[in-house]
Amino acid sequence: TVRADASRNFGQGVKLEPKRLNAGRQLGSGSFGECYRGTLVTDDGDVEEVVLKRVKARVQGASEMHEAEHLINVLASKAAGEAVAPFLGYSLVEQTSGRLSKGLWLVWSYEGDKTLAYYLKRRDCERVLAADLGVEESQAVPTAMKQIFECLTALHNVGIVHRDIKPANIVFDESARRFRLIDLGAAACLRTGTNYKPAETILDPCYCPPEEYVLPTDVPHLAAQGTRLRTVMTPVLWTQHRPDCFDTYSAGVVLMQLSLPFLRTTSSLRTFNGALARCNHDLEEWRVRSGLPARQTAVLDANNGAGWDLAASLLRPREVVTDDSGGVKFLNTGRAPRLSAGAALKHSFIRQAGVQAAPADA
Ligand code: ADP
Ligand code: MG
């Protein structure tokens, strides 16, 4: 583990000397920008496997204090540490050396090679997932979803909405044998206002809920309020508008991809999203119209269709209207509200997870 340097600054986490870092192979074969596997020499002289990411300055000349991804990681690791990959600290590189270019670098423990996207690409997805999770194959999907909802509950409980839940941002921690969330670059903390801008959407359209925003755009800008007013406002806004349900929609899409192998390509997912929108986000209607053969829907059909019921309650709309000034409001549709992560954990589909003993431990 890494102890705090003497230069530790409250609110920013541990500051790491650039000379302790070494950047190796680029992650995601270049498509992710500056994100590398690497190593960190700890205070004890041990060498730890890490992930290094250079943060793009979003505001010209912004001081390090205002770097949103950095601040959100500090908040999340302090308040919901189990939900996210361990954040080890940051480093200010002043002179480019090798792959470590000048700028602010964030450092996390390297959790392993497999994101949920890796599993979804494999033909034997369920088998490998079950083996890695240590559960029977029939429980692979409920168990993975349970872990995702546990992570989301922890983040939501401290006021953070992730806003970019998708398979590439869910990593398997090999040593703990469980999934954790990564990539808080788009996350917003509604308690502090960190990285929250009312009219901003920054999202992957394949996993983004139809309402597109975490809060209606006409609510007062949280970051602009004083701390005391924010403390009062956040719980009210949370109860009224359920910003956390932004993430549970994305989790609903992930559940569909885990359950229905034909939804694992981007093009088929786009087709699904379009078709679901034409059904007014009524999954039952989509199910009837799509006429899928039973051999494709076993995961959702099991346990009296528990999977269908959970997915339908996650993919429900928070209905949105645009007013004259272009502002976005959420309307009550009269249908039951979209499930929160905490409510999803109580659903019968999730409660079947991990009930049977792992075959390997028998
Ligand atoms: P980006 O903003 O470029 O999407 P991410 O934070 O999602 O950056 O990281 C890019 C990729 O690097 C992830 O999809 C994952 O494959 C890998 N990765 C990121 N963090 C970790 C981690 N802590 N452990 C293992 N792999 C990671
Ligand atoms: Mg990512």
Side-chain angles (χ1 to χ4, degrees):
T1 56
V2 181
R3 269 180 280 123
D5 280 348
S7 58
R8 188 195 154 107
N9 238 323
F10 182 76
Q12 298 184 337
V14 179
K15 184 171 182 177
L16 303 161
E17 285 303 319
K19 63 172 192 281
R20 294 165 60 182
L21 298 170
N22 187 35
R25 174 171 79 74
Q26 185 148 17
L27 284 164
S29 36
S31 55
F32 293 103
E34 290 195 76
C35 197
Y36 298 94
R37 266 193 80 166
T39 53
L40 164 72
V41 179
T42 67
D43 293 350
D44 313 324
D46 297 336
V47 176
E48 189 168 343
E49 297 273 334
V50 296
V51 169
L52 302 157
K53 185 172 176 181
R54 200 173 75 112
V55 182
K56 295 169 217 83
R58 297 179 71 197
V59 186
Q60 197 73 47
S63 77
E64 57 183 294
M65 263 310 279
H66 296 113
E67 212 25 88
E69 183 167 3
H70 181 185
L71 297 183
I72 284 277
N73 269 283
V74 175
L75 287 172
S77 63
K78 269 192 198 144
E82 290 291 295
V84 290
F87 177 62
L88 301 180
Y90 71 101
S91 193
L92 283 168
V93 175
E94 279 167 13
Q95 214 172 7
T96 299
S97 119
R99 296 187 175 99
L100 281 182
S101 52
K102 191 169 180 285
L104 171 64
W105 288 80
L106 304 182
V107 185
W108 296 269
S109 288
Y110 182 73
E111 299 281 73
D113 285 329
K114 302 167 180 170
T115 63
L116 193 57
Y118 159 88
Y119 291 98
L120 289 176
K121 274 196 209 107
R122 292 192 59 136
R123 276 210 183 164
D124 52 356
C125 172
E126 292 79 2
R127 192 188 61 74
V128 190
L129 197 55
D132 283 356
L133 289 167
V135 298
E136 294 204 348
E137 214 166 301
S138 64
Q139 285 168 25
V141 179
T143 306
M145 290 307 301
K146 180 176 185 218
Q147 296 179 354
I148 294 167
F149 286 123
E150 284 168 351
C151 295
L152 284 176
T153 305
L155 278 189
H156 294 164
N157 281 346
V158 297
I160 297 174
V161 184
H162 186 287
R163 297 202 292 188
D164 200 14
I165 293 297
K166 59 179 176 184
N169 289 338
I170 301 169
V171 74
F172 189 69
D173 176 342
E174 302 266 1
S175 50
R177 281 181 118 182
R178 59 169 301 126
F179 284 102
R180 292 188 205 288
L181 307 177
I182 52 173
D183 198 356
L184 296 168
C189 179
L190 300 191
R191 284 202 191 152
T192 55
T194 307
N195 208 22
Y196 172 66
K197 297 185 193 68
E200 184 184 59
T201 54
I202 0 168
L203 313 142
D204 186 325
C206 279
Y207 298 89
C208 181
E211 72 272 8
E212 291 182 28
Y213 298 93
V214 290
L215 291 173
T217 55
D218 62 352
V219 305
H221 187 357
L222 283 167
Q225 315 295 323
T227 313
R228 282 180 60 193
L229 191 54
R230 243 184 356 242
T231 314
V232 180
M233 268 168 63
T234 304
V236 176
L237 292 175
W238 201 276
T239 316
Q240 258 179 357
H241 302 296
R242 304 310 315 245
D244 53 320
C245 291
F246 187 100
D247 288 339
T248 53
Y249 181 92
S250 313
V253 179
V254 171
L255 168 61
M256 292 302 283
Q257 287 193 290
L258 275 169
S259 307
L260 302 173
F262 71 90
L263 288 182
R264 292 176 191 172
T265 64
T266 309
S267 61
S268 60
L269 190 54
R270 276 204 202 106
T271 307
F272 167 74
N273 286 336
L276 187 62
R278 285 192 294 281
C279 297
N280 195 19
H281 287 86
D282 183 341
L283 189 68
E284 176 59 17
E285 192 180 326
W286 178 83
R287 186 178 75 83
V288 172
R289 282 205 212 171
S290 61
L292 295 170
R295 70 186 145 75
Q296 282 189 28
T297 57
V299 172
L300 298 169
D301 291 340
N303 194 1
N304 280 324
W308 285 112
D309 186 74
L310 175 60
S313 349
L314 295 167
L315 295 173
R316 271 178 207 142
R318 290 194 292 175
E319 198 161 298
V320 162
V321 291
T322 309
D323 64 22
D324 298 341
S325 59
V328 168
K329 290 191 190 325
F330 298 165
L331 280 189
N332 195 336
T333 55
R335 287 202 237 164
R338 188 181 302 155
L339 284 194
S340 67
L345 284 173
K346 299 196 186 103
H347 193 277
S348 61
F349 180 81
I350 298 299
R351 287 181 21 187
Q352 60 182 308
V355 173
Q356 282 162 267
D361 299 342

